[in-house]
Amino acid sequence: GEDVEQSLFLSVREGDSSVINCTYTDSSSTYLYWYKQEPGAGLQLLTYIFSNMDMKQDQRLTVLLNKKDKHLSLRIADTQTGDSAIYFCAEYGNKLVFGAGTILRVKS
Amino acid sequence: DAGVTQSPTHLIKTRGQQVTLRCSPKSGHDTVSWYQQALGQGPQFIFQYYEEEERQRGNFPDRFSGHQFPNYSSELNVNALLLGDSALYLCASSPGQQDYGYTFGSGTRLTVV
């Protein structure tokens, strides 16, 4: 079956790095995604990684994928107050399956 | 270029009523998927439309139905509304039934009283 789990809350200081973790269950997932949702808004695609990759870097974002452990992480370097939001991990087998989201709070 | 457009943005309905939500996909996209996001949860897949047919469906009752029009826009209909149907309903479009490139709309906030 498909299930995606994330920690619920992360608090960091402005300028520090944030690491949001996610575990998934569907080994047939072809893509794994990170979405950002700000209050009252829809979902913004931040980045995605193919299941045959281990790492992807995109400016301040680094995605690490451990296929053996079915573990995905998102690192945000130099975290800013504007990064405060809910971050969703999602896997795609034949549809997008989302985790419950991690609330990131950035303290100035 | 407009992204995914959803209407209305907010809606209040009474238990037992019916509701229709609308979605216009991003230009160039022909596949529309609908998601329900209850408060404090991640989005849950309802169904996906491609070539005017429902191609996949999540674990939602038959009270949830949809339609896709020749211009690729889509409607989500919910009959016999329950209090538990209160949620943010998100529409996502993609260029074909691909497994990347989903663009989400800002959603319709449905409150059932």
Side-chain angles (χ1 to χ4, degrees):
Chain A
E2 302 155 328
D3 192 20
V4 177
E5 294 190 358
Q6 302 177 235
S7 51
L8 292 181
F9 186 77
L10 176 65
S11 180
V12 300
R13 292 185 183 275
E14 190 175 20
D16 287 351
S17 292
S18 306
V19 179
I20 302 172
N21 295 300
C22 166
T23 57
Y24 62 97
T25 57
D26 188 356
S27 57
S28 67
S29 293
T30 53
Y31 294 85
L32 295 131
Y33 300 84
W34 285 103
Y35 283 87
K36 176 183 180 182
Q37 187 175 40
E38 295 183 83
L43 297 174
Q44 174 194 353
L45 177 64
L46 287 177
T47 187
Y48 65 91
I49 187 168
F50 296 102
S51 60
N52 62 358
M53 295 170 63
D54 297 322
M55 187 185 84
K56 180 179 180 181
Q57 188 152 1
D58 184 0
Q59 299 181 333
R60 292 192 297 125
L61 305 178
T62 302
V63 179
L64 295 178
L65 175 60
N66 180 329
K67 289 184 288 294
K68 174 177 172 290
D69 295 336
K70 297 191 182 67
H71 182 267
L72 183 73
S73 67
L74 173 69
R75 178 177 180 269
I76 305 172
D78 187 25
T79 312
Q80 303 297 307
T81 55
D83 294 324
S84 293
I86 303 175
Y87 290 79
F88 291 95
C89 168
E91 62 175 348
Y92 188 98
N94 59 0
K95 62 182 181 290
L96 273 177
V97 176
F98 289 86
T102 299
I103 298 170
L104 175 64
R105 176 188 164 202
V106 182
K107 295 177 288 187
S108 58
Chain B
D1 172 34
V4 177
T5 305
Q6 291 187 243
S7 64
T9 54
H10 295 83
L11 201 53
I12 299 176
K13 287 287 189 178
T14 304
R15 273 181 302 175
Q17 284 189 316
Q18 179 265 344
V19 68
T20 298
L21 310 181
R22 295 177 175 81
C23 172
S24 293
K26 182 178 177 179
S27 177
H29 288 187
D30 59 5
T31 301
V32 173
S33 302
W34 287 92
Y35 288 80
Q36 180 196 66
Q37 186 179 18
L39 197 62
Q41 297 183 23
Q44 300 291 314
F45 175 73
I46 303 175
F47 43 52
Q48 182 186 74
Y49 277 84
Y50 173 68
E51 292 187 338
E52 301 180 49
E53 290 188 14
E54 183 182 294
R55 299 292 178 169
Q56 293 186 71
R57 189 179 184 91
N59 294 325
F60 280 81
D62 293 344
R63 298 187 298 109
F64 290 76
S65 63
H67 188 78
Q68 186 179 34
F69 299 93
N71 66 353
Y72 310 123
S73 67
S74 177
E75 289 182 348
L76 163 65
N77 301 294
V78 187
N79 295 323
L81 284 167
L82 304 174
L83 295 179
D85 295 330
S86 295
L88 179 68
Y89 288 85
L90 295 164
C91 170
S93 71
S94 57
Q97 291 182 289
Q98 299 181 8
D99 46 7
Y100 64 94
Y102 281 60
T103 301
F104 280 82
S106 297
T108 294
R109 173 70 64 187
L110 172 65
T111 301
V112 181
V113 297

